[in-house]
Amino acid sequence: VFGAYTWAHERVDVARLAFFALFAQQHRGQESAGIATSDGRSSRVHKGMGLVTQVFDNEKLSPLTGHIGIGHNRYSTTGGSHLANAQPYLIETMHGPLAVGHNGNLTNAKSLRGALLQRGVGLTSSTDSEVITQMLAAPPPDGEPDGADWLKRIENLMRSAEGAYSVVVLTRDAVWAFRDVLGLRPLCVGELLGESGRALGYAVASESCALATVGARFLREVQPGEVVRIDSRGLTSFPVRVGEMKPSLCVFEYVYFARPDTNLESQTVHQARQRCG
């Protein structure tokens, strides 16, 4: 996954940033790719089956205008290899557009899906990622007296969802990112810098190699159970206390998933592999 919020006056081509970030993370998923963007008023999305370079070209990237964006490469786990299961999902809510990209697997997806269907929510795919999207689209049980409270919605999701999830969320005017309490899948955050070194915004990605590719300075990993918001106010962190906080990064990140130059838990994947022999 990838997400970026850039300062509107800098006029950064965020769709092109997402393209190169997804290209750097192509090893994480090669079935489908997608990018959703927002200009603060409206949102748009393009996704397709295949590699990043097969799904996108200049013609496909040009309509994806805006200074906010998220992207996703898919490696199918829950749900088959079909266009309907490609991400990000983009839907319209009473508080504007909502787009979601998810890396991981919900172990209780079946029961969550059943609860949505019982409420009358229509689903178009077979993925647990669409379940996450529809759960975020619903207001929290105690309501939202002051308008959309995305943090409360995310907290509500995190209390219900079990399993692995690193998620990027695009709203009309912000990018949200959060990680399950065990930290099973990786997620990191960086500061986007221009050629002269001036700050252009912030970005989140599954792997630090994607941040380096788009000229972002790696800041840190998003902590297990942490929610990060990036908007016009900058980068804000919200630790969410749900369930037992026991960091348990999937060892397969070191064995197989992650790129050798990616930084995980204060070490490069290459260094860890060398020490493992």
Side-chain angles (χ1 to χ4, degrees), residues 3-4 31 35 37 39 43 61 73 83 90 97 124 135 138 145 155 162 193 203 228-229 241 246 250 254 274:
E31 291 186 11
I35 296 171
T37 62
D39 58 8
S43 298
L61 287 170
N73 288 333
L83 182 58
L90 175 62
T124 62
M135 289 180 70
E155 289 176 333
E162 297 172 3
L193 301 172
V228 169
R229 182 189 67 209
R241 301 298 174 189
K246 184 183 176 185
C250 175
Y254 287 116
Q274 274 195 318

Side-chain angles (χ1 to χ4, degrees), residues 99-151:
V100 174
H102 162 227
N103 175 216
N105 259 80
L106 299 188
T107 53
N108 64 336
K110 188 175 180 180
S111 62
L112 294 176
R113 183 183 181 87
L116 285 172
L117 293 172
Q118 202 161 23
R119 272 178 23 211
V121 176
L123 298 173
T124 62
S125 76
S126 54
T127 71
D128 51 358
S129 306
E130 189 185 17
V131 170
I132 289 174
T133 305
Q134 291 294 348
M135 289 180 70
L136 288 173
D142 53 349
E144 298 168 307
D146 301 315
D149 189 334
W150 294 108
L151 178 60

Side-chain angles (χ1 to χ4, degrees), residues 28 73 88 139 165 179 184 201 218 226 251 261:
R28 296 192 70 85
N73 288 333
Y165 52 88
R179 199 174 172 198
L184 290 162
F218 174 80
E226 181 184 10
V251 72
D261 57 334

Side-chain angles (χ1 to χ4, degrees), residues 12 15 29 33 46 64 83 86 90 99 101 107 162-164 171 179 186 211 217 241 247 249 252 261 265 271:
V12 175
H46 177 75
L64 298 175
L83 182 58
L90 175 62
T107 53
E162 297 172 3
T171 62
R179 199 174 172 198
L211 298 178
R217 178 172 62 92
R241 301 298 174 189
L249 178 70
F252 225 48
D261 57 334
E265 300 178 314
Q271 290 171 329

Side-chain angles (χ1 to χ4, degrees), residues 19-37:
F19 170 86
F20 286 111
L22 294 182
F23 185 82
Q25 298 181 117
Q26 185 72 86
H27 55 284
R28 296 192 70 85
Q30 297 160 19
E31 291 186 11
S32 66
I35 296 171
T37 62

Side-chain angles (χ1 to χ4, degrees), residues 182-214:
L182 297 178
L184 290 162
R185 297 265 77 85
L187 192 64
C188 60
V189 62
E191 184 180 24
L192 289 161
L193 301 172
E195 289 184 7
S196 61
R198 72 181 186 281
L200 301 178
Y202 292 93
V204 290
S206 289
E207 295 190 34
S208 59
C209 63
L211 298 178
T213 298
V214 299

Side-chain angles (χ1 to χ4, degrees), residues 88-100:
Y89 288 107
L90 175 62
I91 62 174
E92 193 67 28
T93 75
M94 65 183 295
H95 297 294
L98 169 69
V100 174

